[in-house]
Amino acid sequence: MEHVIEVSELTKRYGDTTAVRDLSFTVRPGHVTGFLGPNGAGKTTTLRLLLGLNTPTSGTATIGGRDFGAARRGLHHVGALLDAQDVHGGRTARAHLRALAASNGIERRRVGEVLDEVGLGDVAGRRIGGFSLGMKQRLGIAAALLGDPSVLVFDEPLNGLDPEGVQWLRALLRRLAAEGRTVFVSSHQMSEMELCAEQLIVIGRGELIAAESLGAFAARGGSQGVRVRAREPERLVSALLAEGAEVVPGEQSLSVTGVDAERIGELALREGVALGELTPLAASLEQAFMELTADSVDYLTGEPR
Ligand code: ADP
């Protein structure tokens, strides 16, 4: 598979620090895959290994079955944005992209196209040094798109974007994936990913926590109980308590845990209680993410980044 990212038993140590430990996962084309983990989890390290910018201590990270660093297939195959700040401030956006295009054998007209695509057409002649972080992110994305690659790898691209920019980028990522590309995007915030990623790779302390669909990940958060509104709740509450349920009365409704919605419906029918609402509550993705990565966050609190 030409466009598949494959990470296999990947380990990277820096002295005493193991940044990535025995990590294995696959990223396929056709949908956005979010690469999630708290700060310091090892996301950037993994992406740098994948792009051949660092060498693994052991294991492999390949794109299309090949070691990308050694294969040197360039911007036509893989477009990447790692550090948006890592650009020459004295150049204009246009000059920066033209230089990149020239050194990669890419037609000059692509420069104008990608600048328009990322919304920098109007500032193409301005020096990058004066750009905000959000503008630099857009420029980095333009550079990644220059070669019209089938694989895109972005490290925290939503960082520094304003709300309009975030919406724009989500739509762009989804479109790139819908075109059949492999789109692998890191973030330390679930909220950034839940509206655009279909698949998730979640890591903590350099180790794999989950590799699955967004839906499967959300289900890990477990049930938050059932919200019930009943006209005469007293009889229902007694019946629920007799079933071993826990019932917390709210202003308009009851919060019920310990029995599922179907059973609550049956009990209401049996007791002749009319229900105004019967809603199973799912835990949010953010909750699932926080719970699953809680250990790795504690471990790293001494390391501000
Ligand atoms: P993330 O991108 O998820 O925030 P990183 O991959 O940047 O995480 O970092 C993972 C761990 O590896 C951190 O503990 C970090 O301090 C460490 N690390 C990363 N790069 C280096 C390096 N060049 N030298 C030493 N330690 C590093």
Side-chain angles (χ1 to χ4, degrees):
M1 286 282 274
E2 183 72 353
H3 313 328
V4 174
I5 293 173
E6 189 86 56
V7 169
S8 178
E9 295 172 12
L10 190 67
T11 294
K12 179 66 179 179
R13 275 191 287 274
Y14 293 104
D16 291 342
T17 309
T18 303
V20 172
R21 189 193 308 268
D22 198 24
L23 194 59
S24 299
F25 61 82
T26 305
V27 181
R28 295 181 200 287
H31 40 236
V32 177
T33 301
F35 189 26
L36 278 156
N39 281 330
K43 301 180 297 296
T44 301
T45 302
T46 304
L47 298 181
R48 290 185 61 84
L49 294 168
L50 181 64
L51 296 167
L53 299 170
N54 290 116
T55 316
T57 305
S58 61
T60 56
T62 58
I63 301 176
R66 288 190 245 181
D67 183 331
F68 183 71
R72 296 244 166 267
R73 298 177 59 201
L75 294 183
H76 290 291
H77 184 212
V78 179
L81 166 61
L82 283 191
D83 182 358
Q85 305 278 17
D86 187 19
V87 277
H88 192 309
R91 276 191 184 156
T92 66
R94 186 185 292 115
H96 169 67
L97 292 177
R98 279 189 178 166
L100 210 53
S103 58
N104 280 274
I106 293 167
E107 292 170 64
R108 230 178 198 223
R109 64 170 180 81
R110 272 297 286 165
V111 169
E113 286 174 14
V114 294
L115 280 167
D116 288 340
E117 169 94 76
V118 303
L120 292 179
D122 292 345
V123 295
R126 284 214 230 145
R127 290 190 195 287
I128 301 166
F131 278 17
S132 67
L133 175 57
M135 290 163 83
K136 285 182 184 166
Q137 293 282 29
R138 287 175 187 259
L139 182 64
I141 290 160
L145 295 175
L146 207 52
D148 197 17
S150 51
V151 179
L152 288 151
V153 175
F154 296 140
D155 195 10
E156 302 267 2
L158 290 149
N159 238 351
L161 289 183
D162 55 21
E164 183 270 331
V166 169
Q167 278 200 1
W168 160 77
L169 184 55
R170 282 191 185 128
L172 176 69
L173 294 173
R174 281 195 299 259
R175 201 198 75 214
L176 292 166
E179 288 167 358
R181 300 172 213 257
T182 301
V183 182
F184 193 36
V185 187
S186 85
S187 173
H188 63 285
Q189 278 183 296
M190 176 58 87
S191 55
E192 286 186 347
M193 285 294 111
E194 64 179 90
L195 292 175
C196 76
E198 278 178 61
Q199 296 289 322
L200 298 178
I201 308 290
V202 184
I203 65 170
R205 290 198 219 181
E207 291 183 84
L208 190 71
I209 292 176
E212 59 201 16
S213 70
L214 203 69
F217 188 80
R220 284 168 177 261
S223 161
Q224 297 291 100
V226 182
R227 190 167 60 225
V228 180
R229 227 156 21 86
R231 215 171 293 153
E232 293 156 37
E234 296 76 14
R235 287 218 306 283
L236 181 61
V237 170
S238 311
L240 287 167
L241 295 175
E243 286 270 316
E246 202 169 301
V247 182
V248 180
E251 251 171 55
Q252 306 275 334
S253 59
L254 307 168
S255 171
V256 182
T257 47
V259 292
D260 64 14
E262 195 175 351
R263 185 66 190 139
I264 297 169
E266 285 167 7
L267 292 173
L269 182 64
R270 193 187 75 194
E271 300 297 325
V273 175
L275 294 183
E277 182 182 357
L278 183 62
T279 310
L281 304 173
S284 72
L285 279 165
E286 193 73 42
Q287 280 170 317
F289 179 59
M290 301 287 250
E291 280 169 26
L292 280 165
T293 58
D295 292 350
S296 33
V297 174
D298 286 345
Y299 175 74
L300 288 159
T301 40
E303 277 189 40
R305 278 164 39 97

